[in-house]
Every structure is written in structure tokens, then in C-alpha cells.
Amino acid sequence: TRDMLDYWGQAARLGSGQATFNLGHYFETSVGGMDGRSQACAYYDQASQMGHRDGWSAYVRLCAAMADAPDRLNRR
């Protein structure tokens, strides 16, 4: 798992929307709780800005109820 996260992290820093999305999915499904959801939201948002086709829908699905979601939803 650590190798996978390192790989995705490096690929995300190099501009891979898919790797960034994968990090979001990992934090959503493996870490859990508010910390995991918060981190997943950040990765999904970043992935959507990088052009990942599912990044924005994942962000909205997971994060719409979070405190900062209304401001970010108006951004699109």
C-alpha cells in the first residue's frame, strides 16, 4: 500500500488526474472518518481541476454536505 501511495503521489505531482483521483478513492474507502473524507474531497476536487472526467461528480457526491461545499459548488 505504501508503494502504491508513493507512486500515485508522485504521478499526481507530475499532473496525473487519474493518480489524483485514485488517491481520493483510497482516502475515501481505506482511511474513512472525517479525516479520510476531507482528504478525499481535496483530491477529487484537484482531479476535477486536472480534467479527470469523474473528479467533480465524486467531489459533489462525497463532499456536498461538508461545510465548504456550497462555496465550491458555485465555482463550477
Side-chain angles (χ1 to χ4, degrees):
T1 301
R2 175 54 47 199
D3 289 342
M4 174 186 63
L5 292 175
D6 290 343
Y7 174 79
W8 285 341
Q10 183 178 5
R13 286 187 294 280
L14 293 173
S16 171
Q18 182 64 53
T20 305
F21 183 86
N22 291 348
L23 285 167
H25 182 71
Y26 170 80
F27 276 89
E28 178 182 0
T29 59
S30 300
V31 175
M34 185 56 89
D35 289 341
R37 285 180 5 140
S38 178
Q39 191 64 42
C41 285
Y43 281 123
Y44 286 151
D45 187 31
Q46 184 179 359
S48 75
Q49 292 179 42
M50 297 167 105
H52 190 278
R53 66 182 183 167
D54 298 323
W56 182 242
S57 60
Y59 175 83
V60 170
R61 175 187 51 76
L62 181 62
C63 309
M66 295 184 74
D68 69 338
D71 292 336
R72 298 179 81 92
L73 289 173
N74 292 329
R75 187 181 70 193
R76 296 280 187 234

